[in-house]
Amino acid sequence: MLTSLTVHALRQQLRAGDITPRDAVLAVAEAARTRDRTLGGYLPLTDSQIEEALRLADQADVSRPLGGVPIAIKDAIAVAGDRCTCASRILEGYVSPYDATAIARLRAAGAIPLGRTNMDEFAMGSSNENSAFFPARNPHDPDRTPGGSSGGSATVVAAHSAFAALGSDTGGSIRQPASFTGIVGLKPSYGRISRHGLVAFASSLEGIGPMTKSVADAALLLQAMAGHDPLDSTSLNAPVPDYLAGLEDGVRGLKIGLPREYFIDGIDPGVRAAIDTAVTRLADAGAEIVDISLPHTEFAVAVYYIVATAEASSNLARFDGIRYGHRAERPSDLNDLYSRSRAEGFGAEVKRRIILGTYVLSSGYYDAYYVKAQKVRTLIRRDFTNAFASVDLIASPVTPTTAWKLGSFSDNPLQTYLADIFTIAANLAGICGISIPCGQSNGLPVGLQLMAPPLAEPTLLRAARAAEIACP
Ligand code: GLN
């Protein structure tokens, strides 16, 4: 099956002339319309989307880094002329007039954006069940979630309905679905890839990143997208190194810290065993393993759900029924137009977060919740600075459990919030992190998380590549 190739392997075949970019586009379109039908990873692919991809395929220059390679795009990232709904009714029918910077850079490298992937509405969730349309399903067991919020991207890559995909990660939305579906998911350092054109949920936490079948593919996509962008004032103005150059250098000489707060009771024993094995193999490969402490870990969930909801309540104010997407019919006055458009357009989880965020920012509660959360965020950030003074990398599970059954937590959002415990601190601190498949527990994939300081992606990817070799 053509779509089971990695991006590197596809690129080789394209360059050799064994296949054409048109073949690659048609293979993805076929997979989206057959295999993906029951898995729900893509939002339905239209004829015009396929035609546009074929048009790009016919003019693709396969000598470029991603020449002729189709890439699936999370529905939160703007592609000029294409729908962008964030899996929300409020953006139904919205067509983006411009490319996100990440998309423009992928195009410049020769890639072909193809297919919009399902997600939790506005990236709020951990299971894809908050999609306004339908849930995505885990290819390893369709009764289970692929994770979220970039669940559709994980589903299409894991089921080989795509060569690679883009996701976004605000609190784990690339790493957790990658872990649940057994693929590679990279959350770059905050500001490494421009957020321009990523629909904003929590601006101080999030970023775009690759979801791929190999570490080398993640490096290749990062290479194409990284770098300063004048359209995003938080993008980092730091040189972009060659992410593929040191990939095979191994872990000898690297010091990896195991935070004791991430190896706690409550972790599924099968997950724990897979992580322990992966860490042992990294040690066998020459890494030095040491125990460390990240003392403020227990506050991360509370801090995240205050900061993220506060930012969301502000960011989502723009969906007013006038400028984008859904508009209520026959409003009696302006206020009625705003409130009914929003009441009809947003799903339950998004409303919950807008209300929570408005509450923590309201006068009287601002100091008690929002300001205090920002102070604790500083402490969490400092935990990482202190830890990285003595280690190069941190290793941990990505999640306490493997993928759960769809519907398990439908009436208990707090339970899903708590499951984000191992991923959200990286977003609060702005560091980079990656999930690499490291075995299974009860037949379901387990992901090893590696984290590294801001801009240390070369070290992160090199260690991830060593883990990939160590955990075949
Ligand atoms: N699960 C987290 C949340 O619901 C993270 C989501 C994300 O990273 N976009 O907010």
Side-chain angles (χ1 to χ4, degrees), residues 74 120 122-127 130 148-150 168-176 201 206 304-305 308 349 353 416-417 419-420 423-424 427:
K74 185 178 185 178
D120 285 299
F122 284 103
M124 298 177 188
S126 310
S127 70
N130 296 334
S149 66
S150 311
S168 66
D169 193 310
T170 312
S173 280
I174 288 176
R175 290 161 288 156
Q176 183 257 26
F201 154 24
E206 64 206 359
Y304 172 84
Y305 279 95
E349 180 63 24
R353 296 201 189 194
T416 57
Y417 297 177
D420 292 338
T423 49
I424 55 192
N427 302 77

Side-chain angles (χ1 to χ4, degrees), residues 302-321:
V303 169
Y304 172 84
Y305 279 95
I306 290 172
V307 173
T309 57
E311 294 184 17
S313 71
S314 164
N315 274 326
L316 271 61
R318 75 192 63 176
F319 302 105
D320 55 6

Side-chain angles (χ1 to χ4, degrees), residues 251 275-287 289 438 466-467 469-472:
V251 280
I275 300 298
D276 287 347
T277 305
V279 169
T280 305
R281 290 188 180 160
L282 285 172
D284 292 345
I289 311 292
C438 73
I469 294 168
C471 311

Side-chain angles (χ1 to χ4, degrees), residues 447-470:
L448 169 72
Q449 175 168 241
L450 294 173
M451 295 180 273
L455 294 179
E457 278 87 356
T459 313
L460 183 76
L461 289 162
R462 168 183 158 198
R465 173 69 186 131
E468 181 176 56
I469 294 168

